[in-house]
Amino acid sequence: MSQSIQPESSNSSGHSIRVSVVVPVFRPGASFDDLIASLDRQTLDPAAFEVLLCDDGSGEPTGERLAAIARTRPNVRVLSLEHSGWPGMPRNHGVDAARGKYVQFVDQDDYLFDGALEKLCDYADANASDVVVGKEVGIGRPLPSKIFRRDIPRATLGTDPLLEMLTPHKMFRTAFLRANGIRFPEGRVRLEDHLFVMQAYFAASTISVLASEPCYAWVKQPGSASSARIEPETYFPHLETVLDVVEAHTEPGRLRDRLLRHWFRGKILKRIAGPRMVKYPDEYRDRLLDVVVPLTQRRFGPGVDAGLGFAHRIRAALLRADRRDDLVRLAAFESGLQCRATVTAAHWSRGGGLHLTVRVDITQDGKDALVFETFAAEPSDPGAQDAAGPAAGAKPSGAKKSIRLTSLPLSSLEGLPANLLAVDRELRNDRIELILRDGAGTGTGTGTGTGTERILSGRRPRDLSAVAVSIDPVRSFERTEDSRGGPLSVKVRRAGWTFDVPLEADTAVLARIGRSPILAGRACTLTAGEGGTVELHREWPGGGLKDAAGRTVRSIRRTLRRH
């Protein structure tokens, strides 16, 4: 049973406890040592924080391990609990026993960056925060990025990207949690973190985002539960409990639709998209749709669709109409999309720029996969510019032009929204980005290379058959002069779909480029790697003076333009 501990505001030495770190524990592995080591390295004085190891009935070996940790650390306490099988109950006991002004939840396989607790406490004090979302860094897993682009002292739910991170790995004001009765559901409850965090978000007077300092390392462990296939019959009732919280705290309208869209997109629509949907066994796919079709009809109105991407809008309409065969056709169509980006021409300018012409082909079975048609739409139609209007061929007086995708393999459009296939909005957001996956960088990287991923150029294309992209090596590498280059890839956003493919070129095209000019800085060469993929290589270790000369000339040019 849990130790009976009355919450206090100071430890036995009389020091004020700023934060209680609550860790639910169940038979931890070797990575638990990394967490303890990170707590030992905190810049916050050990007397100013406590660690509550909430043992969920692990048994004797774990109990002895935790006791040994606490024996040499006066700020560590062990709460020995009956087994519940889920982290909610141990976390709740941690909140009950906490003596700190704040509570920081940490999972046993993760760890904190060295200055995390001190920076989080200072930030919370400065902003009178009820909740602080500290920057999370994915270790072996990709994480959303919008929420951590900048510090947000007073974030607004529905405006700022708070829903991107609904993990419990946050700092909460202890008195705030207790006063509002915010607790984790106990037992085997899916999405328990979403339920807890959303209750806190709605009750909080101030939610703050600390993005400028890394705080929490979220580590992906082999065989983690997040990669397992869900059981539809048991999973989605828990999702509806989260939706109940949203609806209880919002009125019908744009804010509610915006919030509900997060779960509709992430928990339903993504599960029935592309290869994932195609690979489901028939029996499992039927079970999944048996649950999500009525759930969509019941909980997600057409207003939720407004902020969805093109393919998701189609999926949502097909779900409401219970068009299951068409959902499978759409997923198979997406699975068969192939994208290729090829350099058709390249040259250096005397000013030091590398100019490429790239052809982008998006095909299926060797044919153009995305075929568009321009048609006339009624001006009075509120969705005319972003969606389809009347039937193809109709030309009403004063009609505006719109564009729709005609190559989707749907059985028919009968019973679906008239503007469903319009892609004007998506086409306006088309973008081509040239990316270097730096093989010699010092960062952690986000791509498939061994170093950092660097965007060298980006533009909105008018014609995918001849996209002009330019690289200024001096500017692209001015912060990392030690980069030796690496393979080039192209990220293509077209009609709402995104492709990330290697840049390819014929060796004859690359051979005609010639040597890079002096104003390009260190000597740069484009070479064809394995399979015709393109790599950009830079001179190393020499060439530093060339970089300096290139920067000087560019500085002079900027000065002359201002005058």
Side-chain angles (χ1 to χ4, degrees), residues 506-545:
D506 187 278
T507 54
V509 173
L510 300 184
R512 290 194 292 267
I513 298 177
R515 297 171 59 86
S516 60
I518 185 68
L519 292 182
R522 297 177 191 272
C524 296
T525 56
L526 283 183
T527 61
E530 185 178 353
T533 58
V534 179
E535 297 181 3
L536 173 64
H537 296 287
R538 301 178 72 230
E539 178 184 5
W540 184 265
L545 290 178

Side-chain angles (χ1 to χ4, degrees), residues 42-58:
Q42 289 301 301
T43 57
L44 194 62
D45 190 315
F49 74 96
E50 64 175 355
V51 179
L52 302 178
L53 303 178
C54 306
D55 181 17
D56 190 45
S58 300

Side-chain angles (χ1 to χ4, degrees), residues 11 77 121 171 180 191 228 249 342 351 385 488 515 538:
N11 57 23
R77 291 189 286 154
C121 287
M171 180 173 284
N180 289 280
L191 299 174
H249 290 87
T342 308
Q385 292 185 332
L488 295 173
R515 297 171 59 86
R538 301 178 72 230

Side-chain angles (χ1 to χ4, degrees), residues 45 49 56 82 165 215 217 279 289 335 347 352 375 398 449 458 492 496 521 541:
D45 190 315
F49 74 96
D56 190 45
E82 293 182 348
M165 293 299 297
C215 297
K279 291 177 181 178
L289 293 175
S335 299
H347 71 276
F375 71 103
V492 178

Side-chain angles (χ1 to χ4, degrees), residues 5-20 46-50 52 74-75 77 97-102 174 178:
I5 302 174
Q6 295 299 319
E8 300 173 4
S9 60
S10 61
N11 57 23
S12 57
S13 302
H15 290 89
S16 175
I17 298 178
R18 299 186 69 187
V19 58
S20 300
F49 74 96
E50 64 175 355
L52 302 178
N75 65 336
R77 291 189 286 154
R99 298 181 299 189
K101 180 179 180 180
Y102 302 105
T174 309
R178 292 172 179 162

Side-chain angles (χ1 to χ4, degrees), residues 14 41-42 51 97-98 126 147 158 170 248 253 266 273 286 346 360 392 407 461 481 540-541:
R41 293 194 304 269
Q42 289 301 301
V51 179
I147 188 172
K170 299 172 175 60
D286 289 341
V360 176
S407 53
E481 294 185 359
W540 184 265

Side-chain angles (χ1 to χ4, degrees), residues 34 62 132 280 469 505 516:
D34 296 332
T62 297
V132 179
Y280 289 147
V469 294
S516 60

